[in-house]
Amino acid sequence: MWSRRQLLQSSFVGLGIAGTVYQFLKSRPTATVKVPRFTTDEQLSAKYVGFDPINCLRSFDYGRVKQENGHLIREFEIVADNTSTQLNKLVGWVSWNFNNRVPGPTLRAVEGDRIRVIFRNQDSASSHSIHFHGIHPAEMDGVTPIGKGKETVYEFEAKPYGVHLYHCHVSPVTRHISKGLYGMFIIDPPRKRPSADEMVLVMSGYDIDGDIKTEDIKTNELYAFNGLPDFYHKHPIPIYQNQLIRLYIVNMIEYDVAVTFHIHANMFKVYPTGCTIKPTLKTDVITMGTAERHILEFAYAFPGNYMFHPDQDQIAENGCMGQFSVIPSNKF
């Protein structure tokens, strides 16, 4: 039998635990994931031939899935070509690209899947290839140039799980990459990560005047997230309050030794190269060399617009700038 005092004490403890649990659950990202619609004019990206930052942000290419001799195959088709476009109102640009977009499609598979990439080079100006980061046999390494009008097949097992990339590896590699021949390659772990609003940001630079890099000359005149300078600054990315964001990010900026990525008024968890299940760091800024990539996870507790950008001002002010527009959870 408990005394009245013991009952009261146990009630207060219970209320305290309940309150703590409530606050914990309230502060956690929502379990049900709903992706807000990009409310920008649907025809906006159509104005920029070869660039579609709206679609690029949350689109993933899982390939054509088939069974061959008891094995699951994910088959992709990638075509290299060149496209004339506008980076902004003043600057025209001829990109070298994969599947008529910069960056190329975000390929996605599960660790252990068999990957088959049918690659065709339709660019009349240059030989190209596809080099995948990850583990594969030497003959699949993509360092052999594929000539104009030719095709080849890359086939290998998807491993290890993580966020990787692919790019042309024909010399001069820096030129082929800076012209637009790159994309992201995500390999999911066999056991899926928790649900989240997943998105892709690929950082890139543009050497508009083709100058020669010296200590006195900056090579890149413009920079971008997902192809177009300042696109997400002018058209903020909508996300929901308290909802988990899983950001796959890669630095594909050539000529600049390193770049940082910073989000305002928040912190993110870092999964280095996406090759870990548990985060190893919590911060609001991370430094990446060229081709370095990570998974970042975060959720915003308060509605409003929040900037994201490199902390190198010259890079941010010349196009590598964006915003998250956090929508109140009661509008979920």
Side-chain angles (χ1 to χ4, degrees):
M1 297 292 292
W2 283 14
S3 69
R4 183 171 178 272
R5 177 174 293 180
Q6 287 173 319
L7 285 170
L8 286 172
Q9 287 176 339
S10 66
S11 297
F12 287 133
V13 170
L15 287 171
I17 293 173
T20 301
V21 170
Y22 172 75
Q23 289 299 326
F24 171 72
L25 292 174
K26 185 179 178 181
S27 66
R28 290 182 67 193
T30 53
T32 301
V33 176
K34 186 176 180 181
V35 178
R37 184 175 178 271
F38 221 131
T39 55
T40 310
D41 179 1
E42 293 180 357
Q43 301 302 314
L44 183 64
S45 293
K47 297 193 304 182
Y48 304 97
V49 179
F51 296 92
D52 188 355
I54 294 177
N55 184 55
C56 181
L57 184 70
R58 291 184 172 108
S59 69
F60 304 95
D61 185 350
Y62 292 88
R64 291 189 301 270
V65 179
K66 56 176 68 176
Q67 292 283 339
E68 290 184 8
N69 301 319
H71 297 288
L72 184 147
I73 307 287
R74 289 192 187 274
E75 189 173 275
F76 302 90
E77 290 189 16
I78 296 183
V79 177
D81 210 336
N82 63 75
T83 305
S84 297
T85 189
Q86 290 290 129
L87 294 179
N88 56 36
K89 292 181 180 180
L90 300 177
V91 179
W93 178 253
V94 177
S95 73
W96 292 348
N97 55 68
F98 292 129
N99 288 10
N100 195 36
R101 52 173 279 181
V102 178
T106 300
L107 310 184
R108 194 159 185 176
V110 178
E111 186 178 61
D113 288 351
R114 191 74 181 171
I115 303 298
R116 178 180 298 152
V117 179
I118 302 169
F119 173 63
R120 292 191 295 275
N121 181 15
Q122 292 183 356
D123 187 355
S124 60
S126 177
S127 296
H128 297 301
S129 71
I130 303 180
H131 164 67
F132 287 88
H133 285 224
I135 300 172
H136 46 252
E139 59 270 22
M140 295 294 121
D141 203 33
V143 295
T144 301
I146 307 302
K148 299 176 289 186
K150 304 295 183 180
E151 70 174 61
T152 191
V153 176
Y154 303 105
E155 189 164 331
F156 52 90
E157 183 181 340
K159 61 182 181 181
Y161 71 79
V163 52
H164 306 299
L165 63 141
Y166 63 92
H167 58 84
C168 181
H169 212 290
V170 173
S171 181
V173 178
T174 51
R175 175 168 170 76
H176 284 245
I177 292 177
S178 64
K179 290 284 285 183
L181 289 167
Y182 52 83
M184 187 176 286
F185 178 37
I186 298 172
I187 302 177
D188 292 315
R191 184 176 180 180
K192 291 181 64 175
R193 300 180 191 272
S195 297
D197 180 359
E198 297 190 323
M199 57 185 67
V200 167
L201 287 181
V202 179
M203 306 169 75
S204 58
Y206 293 103
D207 176 18
I208 302 302
D209 58 14
D211 58 26
I212 299 174
K213 184 179 181 184
T214 71
E215 292 182 356
D216 301 320
I217 301 175
K218 68 177 179 61
T219 300
N220 293 313
E221 287 73 43
L222 291 175
Y223 299 85
F225 288 108
N226 291 348
L228 277 180
D230 283 321
F231 186 88
Y232 299 123
H233 183 55
K234 297 175 182 176
H235 312 286
I237 299 170
I239 62 176
Y240 282 118
Q241 177 186 12
N242 291 326
Q243 181 163 262
L244 179 65
I245 303 300
R246 179 171 298 118
L247 176 61
Y248 300 90
I249 187 167
V250 59
N251 172 25
M252 293 305 298
I253 299 174
E254 290 286 351
Y255 307 120
D256 293 88
V257 176
V259 67
T260 62
F261 177 78
H262 167 57
I263 63 174
H264 280 212
N266 208 345
M267 307 286 279
F268 49 72
K269 297 177 181 178
V270 182
Y271 300 75
T273 319
C275 291
T276 64
I277 297 298
K278 295 182 179 180
T280 62
L281 177 66
K282 190 172 185 178
T283 181
D284 65 351
V285 61
I286 191 165
T287 302
M288 297 181 291
T290 303
E292 194 167 353
R293 64 275 185 194
H294 303 296
I295 295 176
L296 310 179
E297 289 187 348
F298 55 92
Y300 271 93
F302 305 103
N305 281 16
Y306 300 92
M307 296 172 68
F308 61 86
H309 55 79
D311 275 328
Q312 291 77 14
D313 292 340
Q314 177 258 329
I315 294 177
E317 292 170 1
N318 284 284
C320 214
M321 176 74 74
Q323 298 184 78
F324 292 113
S325 179
V326 182
I327 302 168
S329 55
N330 59 12
K331 296 184 179 179
F332 188 93

